[in-house]
Amino acid sequence: MADSMVKNPSFGLCNFTLQFLRGRWFMMFASFLIMAGAGATYLFGVYSKVIKSTLGYDQSTLNLLGTCKDLGANVGVLSGLLAEVTPTWFVLLVGSVLNFAGYFLIWLAVTKKIATPKVWQMCIYICIGANSQNFANTGSLVTCVKNFPESRGMMLGLMKGFVGLSGAIFTQLYLAIYGNDSKSLILLIGWLPALLSILFIFNIREMKSSRHPNEVRVFYQNLVISISLALLLMGLTISQKYLKFSHNAYVACATIVCVVLFLPCIIAIREEFYTWKLKKKEIMQTPCRIIVENPPLPMSEIVELDKKQEKNEVGCFSNICNKPKRGEDYTILQALLSVDMLILFVATFCGLGCSLTAVDNLGQIGESLGYPSHTISTFVSLVSIWNYFGRVFSGFVSEKLLLKWKVPRTLMMTFALILPSIGDLLIAFPFPASVYVASLLIGFSFGIQLTLLFIIISELFGLKYYSTLFNCGQLASPIGSYVLNVKIVGKLYDKEALKQLASKGMTRSMVKELVCIGNQCYRNSFIILACVNAFGALVSLILVWRTKDYYNTDIYKRFRDEMEANEDGCS
C-alpha cells in the first residue's frame, strides 16, 4: 500500500498540496499577511487631519477619538476569552466583520454619504474598527506562538514586525489604488484587512509542535526578507518625499512591495516539500507503521492517567492564591493578581501610553512646526518602519542575549523606556529635522516595548491562557493614552491655540478648526511625557531584579521535552 501511494504521482501531488495548505510553514506565511494588515491603527496620523477638517473637531476632540482608537486596539479581552471557547476561524471571522463595519462607517461619515455622526458615535466606530486587530492578533499571533513555542521570541518579533510595517505598506497600496486621497485610505483600511482574514480563515490553526532541523534558519531567512521589505519601504517613502511620482510609478512601487511581501511563501513551499520528502521516505522504509496501532493501555494505567489529568485540570479563574512557579501555566486571575503583572502594567502605562500619544499627535506636531502635508505623511511612515525594526530587533536580539548570556528580557524593556524620553525632548525643544530623529526613536522603542511585553507575558505566565493574558497585559496602554493624550497633551495644545486666537482678537466661535502654530504648542506636554517614560524605566528595573534568577535557568526545557514526546508518540 505504501509503495502504491509513493509511486502514484497524482496522489503525491494532492498529498503535498494538502500538507502545504495545512502545514505550519504556510500558516506562518498566512499569519505574516494577516499581521501586515492588522496595523491600520498606526495610520491615524495620516487620516486624522481629514477627520478634523471635515467634521470640524478641535484638538481635544480629535485626541479623544485617538484615545478611543487606542482603547479599541488594546482592549482585547473579548477576543482572548472568545479564543478560549471557540475555534480560531471564528475569532478571525468576527475580527474581519468588526474591521469592515467600523472603518466603513467612518469613511461614510467623512465622505458625507451619511448624516454627520455625533462625536460619541465616531468614537464607537473607530473603537470597533481598531478592536478588530485584537482578533487578528489573537487568531494568528497566539496560534503561531503555540506552534513554535521554543522560537517564540523570533516568531513574535517577525509577527509584530509585519504589523509595524503595515502603515508603510498601506500607504504604498492606497497611493497606487486611490492616489493621494486620505478619505480613500480609510476605505482601504476597512476592506483589505477583512479580506485577508477571510482568505486564510481555515489555514490558521493550532498544531502539535515538533522539531524541524531548519527552523532557526527559516526564521532568519524570513527576517532577511522582512528587513529587505522595510528598507524598500523606507527608500520609497523618502523618494516619494523629494520626487514627483506619476500614478503608474505608484502602481509599480506597490507591485514591488507585494512581490517582496509574498517571498516567505516560497520558503514555506520549500520547507513543506522537505518535510513531505522525509515523511515519504519514512513510509517507504517502514510500510507497516500505517496499519500498526499502539496496543491499548492496561486499565490501571488508564485510571492513573485520569487521576493525573483531573489533578492538572485547573479552571481559568480558580486557585488564585496558590500561584505556580514562573514559566508554568498560571490561571487568568493568578496572573492578573501577581506582582509581576502589576509592574508590567505600570511600565506599559508609561511606555506605550507615551508612545501612542506621540504617534497620534505626529500629524499636528508637524503642522505646528510648519512642515508640509507630504512631509507629515513621511513622519508617520517612518514611525511605522522604525516600529518594525524595534519589533524584530527585540525579538531576535533578546532571544540571542537570553540564550547565550542569560540577559533578562525585562532589562531590555528598561532600555526601551529610556529611548523615547530622548525623542520626547526633541519634540519639546525642536530644531531642524529633529522630528525625523524623534520619530525614529519613538517608533523604534515603541516596537521594542510591545513585542517584549508579549514575550515576557508568555514566559512568566505560560501559554495555556495566553490568548487572554496577552490581551489583558496591554490594557494599560489605552488607559495611559487617555490620561496622557486627552487630559494632558490635548488640553495643553488647545490652551496654546486659544492664546493665539486671543492675541489676534478672535474667539473660538469665529473659527471652524482650532490650530496652534509654533514651538510652544507641544513643549510643556512633551516634557511631561519624557518624565513619565523615565519613571516607567525606573519601575521596570524592579521586574529585572525579580526575574533575574528565573531568566538564568533553561526556560524552554519544558517545551523541548513536550516536542520530544510528540515525536516519540508519532514514531
Side-chain angles (χ1 to χ4, degrees), residues 53-351:
S53 60
T54 303
L55 302 180
Y57 292 161
D58 58 21
Q59 189 62 32
S60 294
T61 304
L62 189 66
N63 283 6
L64 176 62
L65 201 65
T67 299
C68 289
K69 180 263 301 179
D70 295 335
L71 182 70
N74 292 283
V75 180
V77 178
L78 176 61
S79 63
L81 292 174
L82 192 66
E84 304 288 358
V85 295
T86 62
T88 305
W89 66 263
F90 185 75
V91 175
L92 291 173
L93 180 62
V94 172
S96 63
V97 172
L98 292 177
N99 185 90
F100 181 76
Y103 287 110
F104 187 66
L105 286 169
I106 295 172
W107 177 76
L108 291 175
V110 297
T111 54
K112 302 297 185 179
K113 295 184 184 298
I114 59 174
T116 301
K118 298 183 185 303
V119 172
W120 66 267
Q121 290 174 317
M122 285 292 290
C123 289
I124 291 175
Y125 297 163
I126 201 166
C127 186
I128 289 173
N131 191 248
S132 65
Q133 82 173 40
N134 293 298
F135 290 83
N137 274 330
T138 303
S140 56
L141 185 148
V142 174
T143 304
C144 279
V145 170
K146 290 183 176 180
N147 288 341
F148 296 90
E150 197 178 357
S151 304
R152 73 184 71 176
M154 293 182 286
M155 172 58 76
L156 276 166
L158 282 172
M159 296 282 281
K160 299 306 292 182
F162 276 100
V163 177
L165 286 178
S166 62
I169 293 171
F170 267 102
T171 299
Q172 296 303 318
L173 292 177
Y174 104 85
L175 289 172
I177 299 172
Y178 299 109
N180 195 7
D181 179 8
S182 299
K183 294 179 182 178
S184 296
L185 173 61
I186 300 172
L187 180 61
L188 181 68
I189 291 170
W191 67 262
L192 185 55
L195 179 63
L196 288 172
S197 290
I198 290 174
L199 281 177
F200 300 111
I201 202 167
F202 294 113
N203 300 105
I204 311 297
R205 61 193 182 88
E206 193 172 337
M207 309 170 197
K208 282 188 176 181
S209 56
S210 59
R211 287 180 176 272
H212 186 84
N214 302 330
E215 184 169 308
V216 174
R217 188 185 72 179
V218 170
F219 277 106
Y220 276 98
Q221 288 171 343
N222 282 312
L223 174 64
V224 170
I225 291 172
S226 65
I227 290 175
S228 302
L229 179 61
L231 293 175
L232 171 64
L233 289 166
M234 182 182 292
L236 291 175
T237 300
I238 295 172
S239 299
Q240 288 161 3
K241 176 186 175 237
Y242 292 105
L243 302 175
K244 186 174 178 61
F245 278 57
S246 66
H247 185 258
N248 288 335
Y250 283 127
V251 171
C253 293
T255 302
I256 296 171
V257 168
C258 290
V259 168
V260 178
L261 188 60
F262 274 77
L263 286 179
C265 186
I266 298 175
I267 296 176
I269 294 172
R270 184 196 68 197
E271 294 306 318
E272 287 297 349
F273 184 70
Y274 175 79
T275 304
W276 179 68
K277 285 199 302 183
L278 284 179
K279 288 183 178 179
K280 189 167 72 170
K281 186 177 179 181
E282 290 176 4
I283 291 174
M284 292 179 67
Q285 290 176 348
T286 56
C288 60
R289 68 181 289 186
I290 298 175
I291 58 174
V292 173
E293 296 181 355
N294 292 326
L297 290 171
M299 183 57 69
S300 59
E301 290 189 30
I302 293 176
V303 172
E304 188 66 26
L305 283 173
D306 287 341
K307 287 181 179 178
K308 286 182 179 180
Q309 189 171 358
E310 286 180 14
K311 184 178 179 181
N312 292 330
E313 281 293 325
V314 179
C316 60
F317 293 107
S318 61
N319 206 14
I320 299 172
C321 297
N322 188 21
K323 293 183 177 65
K325 295 179 180 178
R326 289 190 180 96
E328 296 181 5
D329 290 325
Y330 279 57
T331 66
I332 293 173
L333 286 183
Q334 283 175 342
L336 295 181
L337 298 177
S338 68
V339 176
D340 290 347
M341 185 65 86
L342 177 63
I343 296 171
L344 277 173
F345 187 91
V346 175
T348 303
F349 174 94
C350 297

Side-chain angles (χ1 to χ4, degrees), residues 431-445:
F431 54 84
S434 65
V435 181
Y436 286 101
V437 181
S439 64
L440 185 158
L441 293 173
I442 293 169
F444 186 69
S445 61

Side-chain angles (χ1 to χ4, degrees), residues 8 15 23 268 347 393 423 425 437 500 504 512 532:
N8 187 340
N15 189 31
F393 176 85
L425 292 175
V437 181
Q500 292 184 2
K504 298 175 184 178
K512 182 179 179 182
V532 172

Side-chain angles (χ1 to χ4, degrees), residues 362-376:
L362 265 183
Q364 281 66 48
I365 291 169
E367 181 185 45
S368 69
L369 296 177
Y371 290 96
S373 59
H374 68 275
T375 304
I376 294 170

